[in-house]
Amino acid sequence: MTATRPSHPRRSQAERSAATRTRVLDATVASLLEKGHAATTLAEVQQRAGLARGTLLHHFPTRAALMVAVVEEVAARRLGVLGLRAGAAAGASAHERTDPQADPRTGWDAAVDLVQADLADPVFLAVLELWVAARTDPDLRSVLGPVERRVFATVHATVAGVVGDEDPRVATLVQFTVDLLTGAAMTRLVDPGGSAQARVVERWRRALPVLLGRADADTWL
């Protein structure tokens, strides 16, 4: 007696289209990370995705259309991972808010760790490729600008939530933290083994309680 194979329901056209789109975007992000924006052509993406030229062009008829889609995709991936990490980081900051004897750096340490993890994620390198390309590409810049403003607002709100502090200076210090760590992350691209960046971040960790008036500068710096 011949055994029958289990049947698998056929995917709908919408499901197949979504899967192909995801495949193309995955290939595009991989190309941005490995080869950079200039080398991420339709031909390169087609080869990486293993699709027919017509299939790729059906979803993304031009390179510009593909880059518009990848801007949104990279932002979604970054914010998705950020949200997962923030949930874990919130536990550390909650301890500070409920325990008056807790180390005053705890919440801010969790926030700094969150920002560092976000900037260390490979997706951020794809973001950098898009930032640099947008400087001389007004069409890409017009798309990237609003998306990045949304990302920045979400990052700042998420980090502030991890800190969990009502002090009116928190918003400014969160901005300083994100900007300083972003600069340090970009510096590591040309000096990956440099220890100067690590020292700057550590000094900033120690400076935060001082700037909030919760620690003496002689003790923390």
Side-chain angles (χ1 to χ4, degrees), residues 19-34 45 48-49 66 70 73 77:
T20 300
R21 181 182 174 87
T22 298
R23 191 168 165 182
V24 171
L25 293 175
D26 285 344
T28 306
V29 172
S31 180
L32 285 171
L33 290 171
E34 293 176 25
V45 172
R48 284 176 177 267
L66 176 59
V70 87
E73 176 68 12
R77 291 187 187 191

Side-chain angles (χ1 to χ4, degrees), residues 17 44 48-49 60 62 77 99-100 108 123 158 168 187 200 216 218:
S17 179
E44 174 66 24
R48 284 176 177 267
F60 303 102
T62 65
R77 291 187 187 191
D99 183 0
W108 280 103
V123 170
T158 302
T187 302
V200 168
D216 184 79
D218 292 337

Side-chain angles (χ1 to χ4, degrees), residues 85-166:
R85 289 174 176 148
S93 61
H95 175 66
E96 179 191 2
R97 292 196 296 271
T98 58
D99 183 0
Q101 301 301 317
D103 189 325
R105 294 176 298 177
T106 303
W108 280 103
D109 273 346
V112 169
D113 289 343
L114 177 64
V115 176
Q116 282 192 299
D118 174 47
L119 297 173
D121 194 292
V123 170
F124 181 66
L125 296 179
V127 172
L128 287 183
E129 287 292 332
L130 295 170
W131 283 1
V132 173
R135 187 183 72 83
T136 54
D137 185 336
D139 292 333
L140 180 59
R141 187 166 62 247
S142 68
V143 174
L144 185 62
V147 173
E148 285 302 293
R149 283 192 289 273
R150 187 175 76 239
V151 170
F152 288 146
T154 303
V155 168
H156 290 186
T158 302
V159 174
V162 169
V163 172
D165 195 323
E166 299 296 328

Side-chain angles (χ1 to χ4, degrees), residues 56-94:
L56 175 62
L57 295 180
H58 173 73
H59 290 272
F60 303 102
T62 65
R63 184 173 185 265
L66 176 59
M67 287 302 155
V68 168
V70 87
V71 164
E72 291 283 356
E73 176 68 12
V74 167
R77 291 187 187 191
R78 186 178 179 191
L79 293 180
V81 173
L82 181 72
L84 293 175
R85 289 174 176 148
S93 61

